[in-house]
Amino acid sequence: MPMLVALALGLWGIRRKNSMWGDESVTYQLAHRSMAHIWRTVQHVDLVHALYYTLMHGLFRLFGGELLTLRLPSVVAMSLAATGVGLLGRRLAGPRVGLLAGLVFPLIPQIQLYAQEGRSYAMVCALVTWSTYLLVRTVSRPSRVRWCAYGLAMLLAGLLHEFAILAVAAHGVTLLVSGVPRHVMRAWTVAACGAAAGLLPLAVFSAGQSGQVAWIAWPHPVQLLGLLAMAVVGIWCAPSPVTGRGPISLAALALPILILPGLVLLLLAPIKPLFVDRYVLYRTIGFALLLGAGIDHAFRRPPTGCASWAVAAAVLASLVPVSMHLRTPQSRHDDVVAIGRAVRQSARPGDGLLYLSGRHRVWTQARPQDTRVLTDLALAQDAVSSDTLSGTELPAQDIAHRMRAFRRIVAVRDAAGAHSDITAQELVKHRTLERYFHECTTKNVTGARITVYARDDVPCPGQESGGTDQR
């Protein structure tokens, strides 16, 4: 049943009105490149996602590179994760808790969000779930094969996203507080060290690309409140009197995986902010297990049974508008399809095209037909031939010279108030626009602004006959 619920929720509105956000667009573009191009690109950028891009490249070759192919692997992965959560709950606390935990998991808004996303986080969540299940089984019945399978599952999760290795630390805390025999602890240490050693080369080489996470700032207060709320609910549910098989209790397993990964990233924030909720999405495994046990305990108490049903109905009702919003383009930071459409509608054949900043070129590369009639004024070498995400740009003076040769320029830039890059190329773009051009129109789309500029001696559309355009 958890698998069916997760599948149904994942397939519901999976196209999001045919929208695609920026990170998905990167997956879409790189997975369409040849393996040689992917390998050369990840040597410069996005090495941490190399395995995921390789997997998606294979799926695109087999099933076609369409929007459904981009997102269906995440739907399947979350369905497998829901199944794993149900089995964990069943083994640790009995069938009722297993069913409830498995049903709670796909209802969590974060899980619904990333179950429909063309990124690696759902796959990581599934691998951590099943490696956790392997750990619980192996502690009860140790064998070399099971320990090897556990280590391999954690290694694959780490190769898909490095921060999955924090789940191994949570597993270590679980074993310590559970008082497992020394030979079990030694075997886990070998498996954990094997996974960490296999991940070490990726960690070393990807450290040279740390500029990619320079955008991460201190966690937003809303994120911190969400993290704290899940931890409080989990701790409140932890004392639920549940019994299961084996030396590991549900609370001993669920609390560390719920709290530890996010806490580690928060503690590192003064040195280097790295906390992003999707990086430790698998912590929801612990939350679902604890909440499933808490719900089971509440429904087993006759005096509060009716109240529990009322609370459950209210929570489910409150999730409906959230779930509906998650299936709209506005639920993501940006929408590259809407951005490309706005560029196409604003442009005239022969106009110049300017990206402020150049990294935003990824917004329109997934749909090149939207910019086919325009001239990219700053582009020196396109993304594919340069083995980059957004291509390389001309020197600043060349960009200024090319801009002055055009009568109209369509500029693609961040939403109002967003941070802008400070480079020589970006500075000269802004200065040239301010000195030689005036703004005609601006369209605001999800996550971006599309502005048409005209030379100072060129009237804006609607002004040729004395009218004005005040949009």
Side-chain angles (χ1 to χ4, degrees):
M1 191 179 294
M3 173 180 275
L4 292 176
V5 171
L7 273 174
L9 289 173
L11 293 174
W12 169 34
I14 188 172
R15 289 186 174 274
R16 291 203 307 273
K17 299 181 180 178
N18 292 317
S19 64
M20 183 191 303
W21 86 286
D23 280 9
E24 287 184 304
S25 176
V26 172
T27 300
Y28 184 85
Q29 293 169 48
L30 281 181
H32 274 91
R33 299 184 189 182
S34 67
M35 282 305 306
H37 276 296
I38 292 174
W39 172 242
R40 289 197 295 267
T41 300
V42 297
Q43 292 182 57
H44 303 103
V45 65
D46 258 3
L47 180 62
V48 292
H49 298 300
L51 177 58
Y52 177 68
Y53 294 146
T54 302
L55 291 172
M56 292 306 299
H57 172 80
L59 291 173
F60 279 11
R61 290 286 300 272
L62 287 173
F63 303 107
E66 303 300 330
L67 194 59
L68 285 178
T69 310
L70 178 68
R71 292 178 182 154
L72 276 175
S74 293
V75 175
V76 174
M78 280 305 189
S79 301
L80 292 173
T83 304
V85 170
L87 291 175
L88 272 170
R90 178 186 179 91
R91 187 169 187 87
L92 294 171
R96 281 169 56 99
V97 172
L99 178 61
L100 289 168
L103 292 176
V104 163
F105 180 78
L107 292 174
I108 297 172
Q110 282 181 301
I111 297 302
Q112 294 189 55
L113 178 72
Y114 294 107
Q116 295 187 333
E117 192 139 300
R119 298 298 278 177
S120 64
Y121 309 111
M123 294 183 183
V124 173
C125 200
L127 283 167
V128 171
T129 303
W130 283 96
S131 66
T132 304
Y133 182 72
L134 281 170
L135 175 71
V136 173
R137 288 288 303 272
T138 307
V139 167
S140 298
R141 297 180 59 187
S143 76
R144 289 184 179 180
V145 173
R146 289 195 179 99
W147 282 120
C148 287
Y150 166 79
L152 180 60
M154 283 310 314
L155 174 59
L156 287 174
L159 291 174
L160 284 170
H161 198 281
E162 290 175 345
F163 289 159
I165 201 66
L166 295 174
V168 176
H171 292 162
V173 173
T174 293
L175 296 183
L176 284 173
V177 300
S178 299
V180 298
R182 287 186 178 180
H183 71 275
V184 172
M185 200 69 195
R186 284 196 301 268
W188 172 83
T189 303
V190 171
C193 289
L199 191 59
L200 185 61
L202 176 64
V204 170
F205 286 110
S206 64
Q209 300 176 359
S210 59
Q212 280 191 268
V213 292
W215 60 270
I216 301 177
W218 279 81
H220 192 277
V222 173
Q223 284 186 316
L224 291 177
L225 285 174
L227 190 69
L228 180 62
M230 290 182 72
V232 169
V233 171
I235 293 171
W236 180 71
C237 293
S240 302
V242 293
T243 57
R245 292 174 288 171
I248 297 177
S249 69
L250 185 143
L253 179 80
L255 279 175
I257 204 167
L258 169 61
I259 296 173
L260 184 64
L263 182 62
V264 169
L265 294 185
L266 288 176
L267 292 176
L268 290 174
I271 304 170
K272 172 65 179 174
L274 289 171
F275 180 82
V276 180
D277 57 355
R278 59 181 179 269
Y279 291 173
V280 287
L281 179 66
Y282 53 84
R283 64 192 173 88
T284 52
I285 299 166
F287 179 74
L289 288 169
L290 290 164
L291 191 56
I295 294 171
D296 177 66
H297 178 57
F299 278 91
R300 285 180 183 273
R301 298 171 64 185
T304 60
C306 293
S308 299
W309 278 108
V311 171
V315 171
L316 288 174
S318 69
L319 286 176
V320 172
V322 175
S323 299
M324 295 180 68
H325 173 70
L326 292 176
R327 287 154 180 85
T328 65
Q330 291 72 30
S331 64
R332 268 58 174 185
H333 181 264
D334 50 46
D335 179 5
V336 301
V337 177
I339 293 170
R341 185 187 307 117
V343 170
R344 186 179 69 249
Q345 293 171 349
S346 300
R348 295 175 179 174
D351 283 351
L353 177 61
L354 195 66
Y355 294 92
L356 305 168
S357 67
R359 58 187 167 84
H360 293 327
R361 201 169 276 109
V362 299
W363 280 345
T364 59
Q365 286 173 168
R367 290 169 51 88
Q369 65 270 26
D370 290 330
T371 58
R372 188 165 292 142
V373 300
L374 305 176
T375 301
D376 192 331
L377 300 178
L379 185 65
Q381 193 175 12
D382 67 80
V384 176
S385 60
S386 63
D387 294 318
T388 61
L389 295 184
S390 55
T392 58
E393 297 204 329
L394 295 165
Q397 63 272 20
D398 293 343
I399 295 173
H401 177 73
R402 294 192 71 185
M403 288 175 65
R404 291 196 298 270
F406 280 75
R407 293 167 59 84
R408 279 170 41 101
I409 292 175
V410 179
V412 181
R413 51 184 177 167
D414 279 309
H419 171 73
S420 299
D421 295 342
I422 302 175
T423 64
Q425 285 96 331
E426 299 308 321
L427 289 174
V428 80
K429 292 174 189 176
H430 287 281
R431 289 170 182 168
T432 305
L433 286 173
E434 291 173 1
R435 184 173 181 181
Y436 298 100
F437 294 81
H438 60 276
E439 181 178 332
C440 289
T441 65
T442 293
K443 289 184 178 180
N444 291 294
V445 294
T446 305
R449 290 176 292 166
I450 313 302
T451 301
V452 176
Y453 290 91
R455 285 288 297 265
D456 286 338
D457 58 343
V458 177
C460 292
Q463 293 181 339
E464 294 88 341
S465 59
T468 59
D469 188 334
Q470 300 178 346
R471 180 170 43 171

